Amino acid sequence: MSTELHGTPVADKIRSGIVEKMAMCRMKGVEPMIAIVRVGDRPDDVAYEIQVRRSCEKIGFSYKVFAFPEDITQARFEVEFSIINADPTIHGILLFRPLPARLDEAYLTSLVDPEKDIDCMNPENLSRLFVGREDAFPPCTSEAVVEILKYYKVPLEGANAVVVNRSMVLGKPLALLLLKENATVTICHSRTKDLPKITREADIVVSGVGKARYFDKTCFSEKNTIIDVGINFIDGKMTGDVDPNAAEVAAAVTPVPGGVGSVTSTILLRHAVDSAWRKANG
Ligand code: NAP
C-alpha cells in the first residue's frame, strides 16, 4: 500500500510562518489584509470564500468581502474594482473566476495590481514567474503541489515529473516551478498518446484532468509519487482524478479531500502576508 501524503501538516507549517510574518508586519504598523471579491453567488465561489474566510479566521488574518450583484455592469465593476485595487490597506486581492460572461475577465484581471495579485491573475505575474523573478506570486495550486513534495522530501532534482494538465492555473506554471527545482518535466494533455506508459515511468505524477477516478492502477507503478489535484464529485462526495485502487501500486499519493486543496488556501495567505511585508519595508 502507498503512503498517504496529507495536506494538513504542510498547511500547518506554512501557517506558522505566516503568523510570524504577520507579527513582524504589525510591529512595523502594517495590518495584512485580503480583499475577497465576488460577483454573483455561484456555489463553488461561495464554498471557496467560506474556506478562505475560515483560513483567515483561524490565525486572525484580516479580510474584507466585496460581493457584487450578478448583473453588475462592466463600467460599474471597473469603478468598484479600481477602488479596491488602489486601497493602501489591502495587500492581496482574490477575485473569483470565471466572472459572468458579460464582464471582460481578461481586461479586468490585467488591472489587478501585480503587488496584490496573490492568485496570479495578471499576466504580469506569470511573466515574472517565467523569467524567474523572486517577487512573482505563482498560482496557489501549482505552488501547493511543490510545497507538498518538498515537505515530504520527495526528491525533485533530476526527477522525472509528469504533469497531466496544461492550464494557466496549474500545468504551465507548475512546469516552471518544477524546472526551478531541477526536475525534468513532461506536460501531458488530452491529445497525449499512450498516457499510462508515460505516467508509469515517471517519478512524480501530477494529475489535474478534472475527471473523477480517471486514472486507475494500470496507469501507475511502484516508482510513482502521485499528487492528485482534481476536485470532482460522485453522488455529492468529493473525489480526485485518481482511483483509490492506485494506492495498491504507487509509492505515495495525496488524498482527496485532505491533500492539495488544504494547502492551496494557505498559500494564498502566505502571498498576502508577503505582499504586506514588502509594503512594510517600503
Ligand atoms: P482545465 O483548464 O479544464 O484543465 C484540464 C486539463 O486536463 C487540460 O490540460 C486538459 O487537456 C487535460 N485533460 C482533460 N482530459 C484529459 C484526458 N482524458 N487525458 C489527458 N489530459 C486531459 O482545468 P483546471 O482549471 O486546470 O483544473 C483541473 C482540475 O484541478 C479540476 O478538477 C479542478 O477542480 C482542480 N483544481 C483543484 C484545485 C485545488 O486546490 N485542489 C485548484 C484549482 C483546480 P487539454 O488542454 O488538451 O484540454
Side-chain angles (χ1 to χ4, degrees):
M1 282 299 278
S2 59
T3 307
E4 282 212 324
L5 308 179
H6 291 275
T8 310
V10 188
D12 286 346
K13 186 174 174 206
I14 295 168
R15 211 174 283 120
S16 66
I18 296 170
V19 169
E20 263 175 45
K21 208 171 248 184
M22 277 166 64
M24 286 157 63
C25 287
R26 285 173 180 154
M27 280 165 68
K28 291 205 166 216
V30 172
E31 178 63 35
M33 167 87 74
I34 286 185
I36 300 170
V37 184
R38 173 164 52 81
V39 180
D41 293 308
R42 278 172 35 138
D44 50 347
D45 287 350
V46 173
Y48 189 36
E49 179 184 315
I50 291 168
Q51 194 187 330
V52 173
R53 286 163 59 163
R54 278 196 193 127
S55 296
C56 289
E57 283 157 11
K58 198 166 181 174
I59 55 170
F61 204 113
S62 300
Y63 66 84
K64 284 183 188 165
V65 176
F66 299 87
F68 298 102
E70 167 83 23
D71 60 357
I72 192 167
T73 62
Q74 173 82 18
R76 185 76 229 158
F77 187 66
E78 273 179 38
V79 171
E80 299 286 354
F81 192 71
S82 65
I83 293 169
I84 299 166
N85 214 15
D87 184 337
T89 67
I90 288 171
H91 307 102
I93 297 174
L94 173 63
L95 171 65
F96 291 120
R97 294 164 291 160
L99 289 166
R102 274 175 310 95
L103 299 180
D104 185 345
E105 183 171 310
Y107 175 67
L108 287 164
T109 51
S110 75
L111 298 180
V112 181
D113 179 345
E115 301 309 315
K116 301 182 180 184
D117 187 16
I118 55 175
D119 202 23
C120 201
M121 294 176 274
N122 188 334
E124 161 65 19
N125 243 320
L126 282 170
S127 77
R128 288 183 184 185
L129 184 64
F130 193 81
V131 297
R133 275 175 55 171
E134 290 300 323
D135 60 353
F137 291 126
C140 297
T141 310
S142 57
E143 195 171 330
V145 170
V146 176
E147 288 293 335
I148 291 171
L149 291 166
K150 283 185 173 174
Y151 179 88
Y152 286 104
K153 300 192 173 15
V154 176
L156 292 173
E157 180 145 337
N160 288 319
V162 168
V163 179
V164 194
N165 180 296
R166 58 174 163 178
S167 74
M168 294 305 292
V169 295
L170 178 62
K172 286 177 185 166
L174 177 56
L176 296 173
L177 294 177
L178 289 168
L179 281 174
K180 199 172 164 199
E181 301 298 329
N182 297 316
T184 302
V185 185
T186 305
I187 296 193
C188 299
H189 46 78
S190 63
R191 315 288 169 88
T192 299
K193 288 181 184 155
D194 204 358
L195 184 55
K197 180 170 184 287
I198 298 171
T199 51
R200 276 195 300 268
E201 286 172 7
D203 300 306
I204 296 162
V205 178
V206 182
S207 70
V209 301
K211 292 182 176 158
R213 300 181 179 175
Y214 183 75
F215 297 102
D216 70 7
K217 64 180 178 183
T218 64
C219 301
F220 301 112
S221 72
E222 72 291 346
K223 289 175 67 175
N224 299 150
T225 293
I226 307 168
I227 308 292
D228 188 353
V229 181
I231 297 178
N232 314 288
F233 291 89
I234 297 178
D235 298 331
K237 195 166 169 273
M238 191 190 287
T239 182
D241 293 341
V242 176
D243 192 288
N245 69 16
E248 293 169 25
V249 292
V253 61
T254 55
V256 178
V260 179
S262 44
V263 180
T264 302
S265 58
T266 315
I267 301 281
L268 192 76
L269 300 200
R270 182 166 74 184
H271 288 174
V273 81
D274 284 347
S275 167
W277 182 239
R278 283 184 209 162
K279 179 89 184 290
N281 289 286

